[in-house]
Each structure stands twice: as C-alpha cells, then as structure tokens.
Amino acid sequence: MHVADGHTLKVYKDHGGYKALEKALKMEPAAVIDEVKKSALRGRGGAGFPTGMKWSFVPKDNPKPKYIVCNADESEPGTFKDRYLLERDPHALIEGMAIAGWALGSKTGYIYYRGEYRYLIDIMDRALAEAREAGMLGTNILGTGFDFDLHTQTGAGAYICGEETALLNSLEGLRGHPRMKPPFPAIAGLYACPTVVNNVETLTAVPQIINMGGEVWQKLGTEKSGGTKLWSVSGHVKKPGVYELPMGYADMEKFIFEDCGGMLRDDKKLKAVIPGGSSVYIMNTGQILGKNVTMDYEGLVAAGSMVGSGGFVVMDETVDIMESTKNLSEFYKHESCGWCTPCREGTDWLVKIFNRIADGGGRPEDAQLMLDICDNMEGKSFCPLADAAAWPVQSAIRQFPDDFKEWLMKKTAARELAANI
Amino acid sequence: MRSHLVKYPEERKRSALVPLLFIVQRERGWIDNPGVNFLAKFLDIEVTDVWETATFYSMFNMHPIGRHHIQICKTLSCKIMGEPDITEHICSKLGIKPGETTEDGKFTVSLVECLGSCGTAPMMQIGFDYHEDLTIEKVDKILDECG
C-alpha cells in the first residue's frame, strides 16, 4: 500500500512511527535482541540467516567501536524492493537502525547504496535531517542519553558489493573484494571492529517487531520464517510491482495468476519463473502448476528453488530459456570481482560456450561440460557469487533439457545452412 | 569534499574515496590523471591506491564520454520486456553502436547490467535520472528533450 508522503517524518509519525524506538530505549539491549530472535526474522538480502542470532554474535565486552551497516546495494537482477522502501519509507529504516544501534551498543551506522540509486540519497538525507531535528538521531536520543548517528555512502556499480564483506571493503575505499570468513563481521567487520550488516528490508522490519512483540510478528509467517516478505515481481504478468506476503503464503500459482493479474498476454502460457532473483534455480511449469508451492524458505527449497532476494521474474512461452540463461551468465561474468579463480574463469568459460553455441559451434557434449564447470564453481570461492552464477545454468539444463537440445540443434543447423549458402 | 571526511574516523580518510571519485568525475567529466593525483594528495594515499579502486567500479569513466550518458539496462527483465528494440532504435537514431559517442560529443550509449527497475522494464538511465516503462515514442521524446 502506498501512503502519500510516507517518506516524511510527519506522515511516518502519524502512522505510529518512532514509537518502537521509544519502547526499545526503555528495554535492556539484550531484551531487544531476544524479541528479534523470537520473531524468527531471517535476513532479507538473500542468505536468509536468522537476524537475532547474527546480532547476538556481537561481543559485548569488545572495547572497539561497533558499527551497524545497512546493505542497500540492491543489484540482483529481478530485485527492486529495497528501492521502494528507501524511496517511500526511509524513516522505518532509520528507526530500525537506531533500535539496532541501541541493542548492539553502537554509536554509528552507515547506509551503503548502490551508486545508481543516486536520487534516493536526497530522500534519505532529508529524512536523516528530519530525524536529527526531532531528536531521533544524534546525541541524547529522546532524552535517554543514547547517542547514535547515521551516514550515507554509495557504491559505484559493482554487484559484488552486495556481499557483506565486499561491501565493507568498498566502505573502506577499497576494491569490493570479499573477505575470507571467519572472522565474521560481527567480530571483525568495518575497520576490523564488530559490525552487523543487514539488508534494508530486514532493518525496516525491526520497528514492527518491537511494536508488536517478536512472537506476534513471527506468527504472521511460519515457525521458522517469521513475518512477511516483500517480493519484487517483473516480467510477463499484468501487474508487476512489489508485493508484501506473509511467509508461507500458499500458493505460488495463485500468486502469479490472481494477485499479479495473470500472464501479460492472455494467449501466452507460463514457461518459467525465477522466484528469488537471478541467483536461484529457474523453475519450470511442472514445478509450479498444481503443486501448491508455499512461498517461504522451506517451501521453495522443497519445490526446487529458493527465496533468495525475492526477485520474482515471470517468463511466458515466447522466452528462449537458453538466451535468458546466457543473459544471466553474461551478468555474472561482468560482475565477478575476479578475486577467486573458479568464479573468474568459470563465469567467463560459461559465456564463451554460450557464445560458441550461438555462433553455430555447439557440440553434443556442451551440456555436460557446462554442468562440470558449474560443479567446479559451486562452493569453491570466497563468496556465493560463483554459486549464484552456476545455479541458473544448472537449472536451465536440468529443468529445460529439451530447450537446451533444441537450442543447440537450431544454432548448429543455422551454421550449416549458412555454410551451404 | 570535506563534508564526506567527517563521516569516517579521522585515521580512515580513504573511506571517502568512492564518493570523492564521483565528485572528480562530475567536475572533470571522467577520472583523469590530475583528478587522481589531487585525490591521492587530499586523502594522503598513493596514486596507485586511487587507480586501484577507481578501475574496479563500472560507474567511473576511464575516458571522456558524451554530455548525456545513456545507459540501457540489458539484463533479464529488461531484455524480455523489449530492451533489444529500444537499444536498436536509440543506436539507429544516434548513428552509433553501444559503447560509442556521437561525433558532436552529445551522447554516449552504453549497455549495462541490472539497474533495479525490473518491474518497470525496459528502462534506461541518463546521468542519474531513471527513465522507465520505455516505448519508442517515449524514448524519442526523452532524447529530443536532452539539451
């Protein structure tokens, strides 16, 4: 639901904004973390790690400064939910970060945007100024003696900076290369100090959790995946956009054909869906239609894919799955930071094979070769980018084998035809 | 430029490098030698440190570009929603290929990866402005309005 002028402090407060911060500041920090644990909130950036647990890893007795970093480097193909939150609900993020600051004993937070979202910084800077003016940020917040402030920083066009340790390197003015873990950022993150990195959607859920209580919020979703989730819907549906659904929403078919208005062109059938951004397995209709796929972490894994970032891309029968997978492979090749050999070489090799087939040089063994390359990328790099690059290719070949064969033959036939001419 | 430095601990000035590179690009048009040398001195780091970071990020131009930088998103959602037709139309209208600049230096066209406008695809970014739900007619109007 879009609330007019929801980005302003007045409208945010008219809707109960900053009451959660007031409430949290009257609680012990450990009690705030407990509420987040009870909520079963899982990180909404893609990894789905339990947020309360992540917060509890921050050592209480470490004398170094502690940092809260908001990951707003949304760059996953198909994903645009954080952009809408930043644009329309910036105070919810500020409030969530201030509560996190109190819970973790931090005095400073950073909001790290992707560089292309430049226009959002103006919106956020205005919201930050309003919050400081109203005593919600800065020194002695709401007269409690708690000091906490937030700063904005941008990336400059690198998908890898959505990975939390690469983001921290970028925030330090370095190349966005991921860091070896452990140590995890909770122990040694920004400037080697204890740091929590959370996604925009994760942090904006925190005020709701404190207002409602963790248990009530959890019950909006399932036992293991509490609350609600934002899905960014794009592709061949009548009503693309950002949808908030309870975790465990049943079912995916209903979501596509009722909530999202059904197929964009009534005479075209559904062919494929990527439910969680490009770094998850592509699903065919056999995995969706009539299967009552539950939209949460467990349900999508059982159906053969993942929640990921919630970037829901719907493709009708006009889409060439292999062209689409080639498109995604080109994305990962471009975005691989080059730090690890399996990722750097693997993404490049996959694109080379796709291009060779497209140029008419396909070989019968190419499907197996690509699967072998994917096996040598998966789980063998510093960060999950290599996995993300491998999964669309693996699922395209395994879930759409006829499409792969047809594509290979069509392209090879075209070469032979051209040679005869 | 100093307003960026206050965001970070005093001994961590290098954190301001990416925002300051954007200022250099805005003022100089691209990341050039004098700009890099200035930043190295300003942040008290080596010139190679500046180049190392600048060359990693795709939004920094390592050579001069046109006054209007048209970046067309080529990633999946935009592609299946009509990006190839939009790209062909723009390139044909301007008489250049992706990666090239018009002879008068007015436009540079680039094909770029996902810009986060998937629900409003196809899209392009000119400077920092997003143009979404593109049609051929809409593209013509936007290009005509570029001064």
Side-chain angles (χ1 to χ4, degrees), chain A residues 223-263:
Chain A
E223 189 186 341
K224 289 182 181 168
S225 307
T228 59
K229 166 90 191 92
L230 296 182
W231 299 86
S232 340
V233 181
S234 64
H236 295 139
V237 289
K238 286 196 177 69
K239 295 190 287 184
V242 177
Y243 290 79
E244 183 173 14
L245 301 179
M247 275 293 190
Y249 182 87
D251 64 79
M252 190 195 237
E253 185 176 350
K254 178 173 174 282
F255 179 55
I256 298 166
F257 289 96
E258 293 181 23
D259 303 323
C260 299
M263 303 309 291

Side-chain angles (χ1 to χ4, degrees), chain B residues 6-114:
Chain B
V6 299
K7 297 176 181 178
Y8 314 102
E10 209 174 319
E11 69 282 10
R12 300 285 185 173
K13 283 196 291 188
R14 183 170 173 165
S15 276
L17 180 53
V18 170
L20 297 187
L21 279 163
F22 274 116
I23 294 177
V24 166
Q25 182 157 290
R26 187 187 69 204
E27 297 301 317
R28 314 276 305 173
W30 58 299
I31 306 297
D32 62 357
N33 272 317
V36 167
N37 293 341
F38 171 80
L39 278 188
K41 201 169 172 187
F42 185 73
L43 294 174
D44 197 21
I45 55 179
E46 298 297 325
V47 169
T48 49
D49 291 336
V50 181
W51 280 122
E52 178 193 51
T53 297
T55 52
F56 181 77
Y57 296 94
S58 63
M59 290 179 75
F60 294 129
N61 303 315
M62 293 296 135
H63 51 79
I65 57 160
R67 291 201 303 282
H68 301 286
H69 190 189
I70 303 171
Q71 299 183 79
I72 308 165
C73 175
K74 67 177 270 287
T75 316
L76 187 59
S77 297
C78 280
K79 179 162 183 178
I80 65 174
M81 295 303 286
E83 169 275 316
D85 291 341
I86 298 292
T87 301
E88 191 184 340
H89 180 73
I90 291 173
C91 288
S92 153
K93 190 177 170 100
L94 299 178
I96 54 174
K97 293 178 191 156
E100 294 179 349
T101 301
T102 53
E103 273 183 20
D104 60 2
K106 191 170 172 185
F107 293 103
T108 297
V109 174
S110 303
L111 287 178
V112 298
E113 298 294 352
C114 187

Side-chain angles (χ1 to χ4, degrees), chain A residues 16-271:
Chain A
Y18 288 106
K19 287 215 163 60
L21 179 60
E22 275 182 53
K23 188 176 170 184
L25 291 177
K26 289 175 187 153
M27 297 163 68
E28 287 298 320
V32 174
I33 297 176
D34 272 347
E35 287 305 317
V36 177
K37 277 186 177 168
K38 283 181 205 163
S39 73
L41 171 65
R42 294 174 61 168
R44 301 291 197 246
F49 192 80
T51 305
M53 198 183 291
K54 196 178 209 179
W55 287 15
S56 66
F57 290 157
V58 174
K60 291 173 189 64
D61 52 355
N62 192 319
K64 290 180 174 178
K66 299 176 181 70
Y67 294 103
I68 311 293
V69 176
C70 172
N71 183 347
D73 189 65
E74 182 172 64
S75 312
E76 176 89 355
T79 311
F80 48 98
K81 63 187 174 69
D82 293 342
R83 180 181 162 201
Y84 281 67
L85 287 173
L86 294 162
E87 187 178 321
R88 298 175 182 189
D89 211 2
H91 283 284
L93 175 61
I94 295 171
E95 187 177 13
M97 290 188 77
I99 293 169
W102 169 248
L104 300 167
S106 168
K107 292 188 184 310
T108 309
Y110 293 96
I111 304 169
Y112 181 98
Y113 300 78
R114 63 176 300 173
E116 292 90 344
Y117 284 174
R118 177 65 186 81
Y119 77 101
L120 293 175
I121 291 195
D122 298 335
I123 296 170
M124 184 54 74
D125 282 346
R126 274 198 297 275
L128 288 172
E130 281 184 320
R132 282 190 199 106
E133 180 77 16
M136 308 296 177
L137 284 178
T139 53
N140 193 24
I141 291 173
L142 294 169
T144 60
F146 171 52
D147 300 340
F148 182 75
D149 211 347
L150 285 172
H151 305 290
T152 52
Q153 155 78 294
T154 66
Y159 168 74
I160 187 63
C161 292
E163 197 281 331
E164 61 178 359
T165 60
L167 185 155
L168 295 174
N169 271 350
S170 183
L171 201 46
E172 292 184 13
L174 305 165
R175 287 185 156 223
H177 286 158
R179 299 174 182 173
M180 178 72 110
K181 293 191 279 192
F184 288 90
I187 308 298
L190 186 64
Y191 312 131
C193 296
T195 304
V196 161
V197 184
N198 282 143
N199 175 255
V200 176
E201 189 186 344
T202 313
L203 287 162
T204 52
V206 170
Q208 301 169 38
I209 290 167
I210 298 302
N211 272 331
M212 288 183 189
E215 284 176 18
V216 176
W217 196 84
Q218 176 268 316
K219 285 188 171 57
L220 295 173
T222 67
E223 189 186 341
K224 289 182 181 168
S225 307
T228 59
K229 166 90 191 92
L230 296 182
W231 299 86
S232 340
V233 181
S234 64
H236 295 139
V237 289
K238 286 196 177 69
K239 295 190 287 184
V242 177
Y243 290 79
E244 183 173 14
L245 301 179
M247 275 293 190
Y249 182 87
D251 64 79
M252 190 195 237
E253 185 176 350
K254 178 173 174 282
F255 179 55
I256 298 166
F257 289 96
E258 293 181 23
D259 303 323
C260 299
M263 303 309 291
L264 180 64
R265 292 166 286 210
D266 291 322
D267 61 333
K268 302 296 178 206
K269 290 181 188 152
L270 177 69
K271 180 164 188 177

